[in-house]
Amino acid sequence: MNRSPSSRVALLAATLTVGLTVPGCVAVNERTGGASPVAGPGPAVSGTLNSAGASTQPAPFQAWSARFSAAHPEVTVNYDPVGSGGGRKQFLEGGVPLAGSDAALDDEELERARERCDGGSAMDLPVYVSPIALAYNLPGTPDLTLSPVTVARIFDQQVTDWSDPAIAADNGGAALPAGAITVVNRSDDSGTTENLIAYLVANAPDDFPHEVTDTWPVAGGEAAKGTSGVVDAIKAGEGSIGYADESQVGDLGRAEVVAAGQAVGPTAEAAAKVVDVSEPVPGRPEGDLAIEVNRTPEEAGVYPIVLVSYQIACTTYATQQEADLVKAFIGYTSSQQGQKDAADIAGSAPLSPERSDAIAAALGSITASS
């Protein structure tokens, strides 16, 4: 069951004490209370592990950093939520040894990663699965259902008023009060954007005639940077609708979408089901576990607008210390305990034991070149 936004905040406050503070970063090296620290086999690790990327990952990262640093007092883990595109860029340029991204590396990026990874390859390892909510600000409208075609036409600026007959038809014929629709989209390169576009193109290509990309392709809306920027813009504008990681939309409304003939809300349980009916991306390097998300599921109770957020790592690092830090940290975040910690804080969908085991096997390939 998902925790309410207020209970997540309370749990986060009770669980974490933030140590070193870096502007724009999450950095935790202390923890007070909560469950016992993570422990496991492998060498003792020390040093600073810097990571950057998806603005969907700060909440789970705080939980992960706190528990990991409690188990390894000589480690500080920093995370800079610059966005998926920014995280991949920093990783490929050698700025960070670990990136967070709501979209896996593409073929060109995988090729560039060979030089960055000291002749090895990069691996996309799925550690955070969460529904993307279609969040809206419509006082007096607690429930809203939208078909894929209507969602596509709203975000393509074809349906521009809440009283449009298409919206009424999706809601049993009940017309909403007239009012302009303001679409809020990401201004930065975003894996969340890419995941939403992939859903729209798969389900309503005639109504959303755009290529799948991590940059928003439609003019005319309101642009905001990062997940928090989108949420803040929706909150500030009555009549707004946008898209964001469900765990971060707070008290905003969340539209249900029609999938397999029924309305389905953005819950962790429904998001987990879509991962279970998805296949791996073909042709990836050994150890890469990128998922081809099934955007048109036929099974009931599956929410198809999800983000599968990855931690991106190398199979080869320049030093043993770096290799051990990355291996140990992802080993924890992808474990059943790490997945539970993220779910408790962010309401995410835990990985299945089989997927956790697959990541553990992939981590076994991480080595040092010197």
Side-chain angles (χ1 to χ4, degrees):
M1 179 178 294
N2 274 356
R3 296 180 184 269
S4 68
S6 59
S7 67
R8 290 178 197 155
V9 172
L11 180 59
L12 185 60
T15 304
L16 304 178
T17 296
V18 178
L20 175 65
T21 301
V22 181
C25 296
V26 172
V28 184
N29 58 13
E30 283 186 39
R31 180 175 163 280
T32 61
S36 59
V38 60
V45 290
S46 62
T48 298
L49 177 61
N50 292 319
S51 181
S55 61
T56 56
Q57 286 196 27
F61 228 99
Q62 281 192 315
W64 289 332
S65 301
R67 185 186 286 272
F68 189 78
S69 294
H72 304 282
E74 297 184 7
V75 174
T76 297
V77 181
N78 297 322
Y79 186 72
D80 190 358
V82 295
S84 296
R88 295 196 305 274
K89 183 174 186 291
Q90 288 191 35
F91 172 78
L92 292 170
E93 292 177 350
V96 293
L98 178 66
S101 178
D102 296 342
L105 296 170
D106 61 26
D107 290 343
E108 180 181 348
E109 291 171 324
L110 284 171
E111 186 61 34
R112 288 176 57 196
R114 293 188 177 279
E115 180 177 356
R116 186 265 175 268
C117 293
D118 290 281
S121 59
M123 298 185 294
D124 298 278
L125 304 174
V127 296
Y128 180 68
V129 179
S130 183
I132 299 172
L134 301 181
Y136 62 91
N137 181 352
L138 285 174
T141 307
D143 300 311
L144 179 66
T145 298
L146 298 172
S147 67
V149 168
T150 303
V151 175
R153 296 184 66 204
I154 288 173
F155 280 92
D156 197 46
Q157 302 288 333
Q158 299 175 47
V159 170
T160 58
D161 196 282
W162 287 108
S163 62
D164 191 283
I167 298 176
D170 289 344
N171 291 273
L176 276 63
I181 298 175
T182 300
V183 173
V184 181
N185 59 263
R186 289 281 289 270
S187 62
D188 52 328
D189 295 348
S190 161
T192 311
T193 293
E194 185 171 336
N195 279 282
L196 175 64
I197 293 176
Y199 162 78
L200 296 173
V201 170
N203 286 273
D206 294 337
D207 298 281
F208 198 84
H210 305 281
E211 297 292 328
V212 177
T213 173
D214 63 3
T215 304
W216 189 249
V218 184
E222 179 177 348
K225 184 175 181 179
T227 300
S228 60
V230 168
V231 171
D232 288 344
I234 299 170
K235 289 180 177 178
E238 188 171 324
S240 297
I241 187 170
Y243 55 95
D245 182 350
E246 190 278 335
S247 71
Q248 299 189 47
V249 303
D251 295 330
L252 291 168
R254 297 153 169 80
E256 293 188 332
V257 299
V258 177
Q262 65 177 220
V264 185
T267 66
E269 293 80 6
K273 289 180 180 179
V274 80
V275 174
D276 290 340
V277 299
S278 298
E279 299 292 335
V281 177
R284 307 292 287 187
E286 185 175 357
D288 187 284
L289 301 177
I291 296 170
E292 189 73 64
V293 178
N294 183 353
R295 305 292 180 181
T296 57
E298 298 179 356
E299 295 81 1
V302 178
Y303 186 80
I305 316 176
V306 301
L307 59 86
V308 177
S309 203
Y310 300 90
Q311 284 173 349
I312 301 174
C314 288
T315 58
T316 307
Y317 285 95
T319 68
Q320 191 65 52
Q321 181 186 39
E322 199 169 47
D324 289 343
L325 268 173
V326 171
K327 185 186 298 188
F329 185 69
I330 302 179
Y332 157 60
T333 64
S334 60
S335 71
Q336 291 300 288
Q337 181 63 60
Q339 291 294 295
K340 180 181 182 301
D341 293 341
D344 286 345
I345 293 298
S348 54
L351 297 174
S352 67
E354 292 76 17
R355 288 195 186 274
S356 291
D357 290 345
I359 294 174
L363 293 174
S365 67
I366 294 180
T367 60
S369 60
S370 62

